[in-house]
Amino acid sequence: MTGSGFTAQSTAAEVVGGIDLTGGRAVVTGAASGIGLETARALAGAGAEVTLAVRDTAAGERAAAGIAAGGAGRVLVAPLDLADQRSVAAFAAAWHGPLHILVNNAGIMMTPETRTPEGWELQFATNHLGHFALATRLHPALAAAGRARVVSLSSVAHLRSPVHFDDVHFRDRPYDAGLAYAQSKTANVLFAVEAGRRWAADGVTVNAVHPGAVLGTNLSRHLTREALDAAAASGGHTFKTPQQGAATVVYVATAPGLERVAGRYFEDCAEAHRHIPGTSGGVADHALDPDAAALLWRMSLDALAADVRG
């Protein structure tokens, strides 16, 4: 696979320039602000019908109006709370017709210890299980599109932790907000690995993306000002604007050269290299492990099935 020609400084608008998505339909979760908003803006600007799947529909309507004011394609808003499986089921049930692009963008980070009604740790429940349920429920619509793409947003934080299958929900070990976030981001990559394998025959490609470090989005709302200042002052990150953060997402969702590429991890508009301990960036071996990916898929199906039975 050759280089994209884009860089860490490229914007979503630059990446999608010259691409015509007219007739295509896209769903972007968490699209009322930040990277999700800029992803939706770029896809709509290329002609796609874009549905903003959001918890706060009033904020979603304001975002949609802002996108539409730029002369973009049709922009819709629908309620979706990824921590509530009933909400996920309702969103999927209301969807009709093909779906060409699904961007699993929404997420939470570093939350205090919180559990869903099922007893699931909130970050894992939202970042992984909610998106897993959404994507699997929408799989028939993705398959109906003929050539569809799913983009699973991960993070460099995945380097910190594999998925701890023996205690995913921190029932036996002390809760650590950072590790909980990290394993949920590893799960986002493992989902892409297994979904990419399972859905290839349906023409559905699934890949994971690290959008880069973007300060000032709602994702960082649970971090203290001291933590944000420390992150900004650290030498380990080059911070991006939301428009730059959305670039790799839009690249993976639309680039013609990625039509048959699946189960990969991208950063800075290129497939990431294998992470080398002691360095920054790249993708960890534990996030691309096919056995772990298959185990996570089975575990996720079991969790959702138990929820339905309950």
Side-chain angles (χ1 to χ4, degrees), residues 294-306:
L295 177 57
L296 177 64
W297 191 280
R298 293 193 300 270
M299 186 207 77
S300 302
L301 287 177
D302 288 346
L304 296 179

Side-chain angles (χ1 to χ4, degrees), residues 108-112 123 160 175-181 219 222-223:
I108 56 175
M109 178 174 71
M110 301 287 284
T111 59
Q123 294 185 82
R160 291 191 59 200
Y175 180 71
D176 183 309
L179 291 180
Y181 178 67
L219 185 63
H222 293 289
L223 297 180

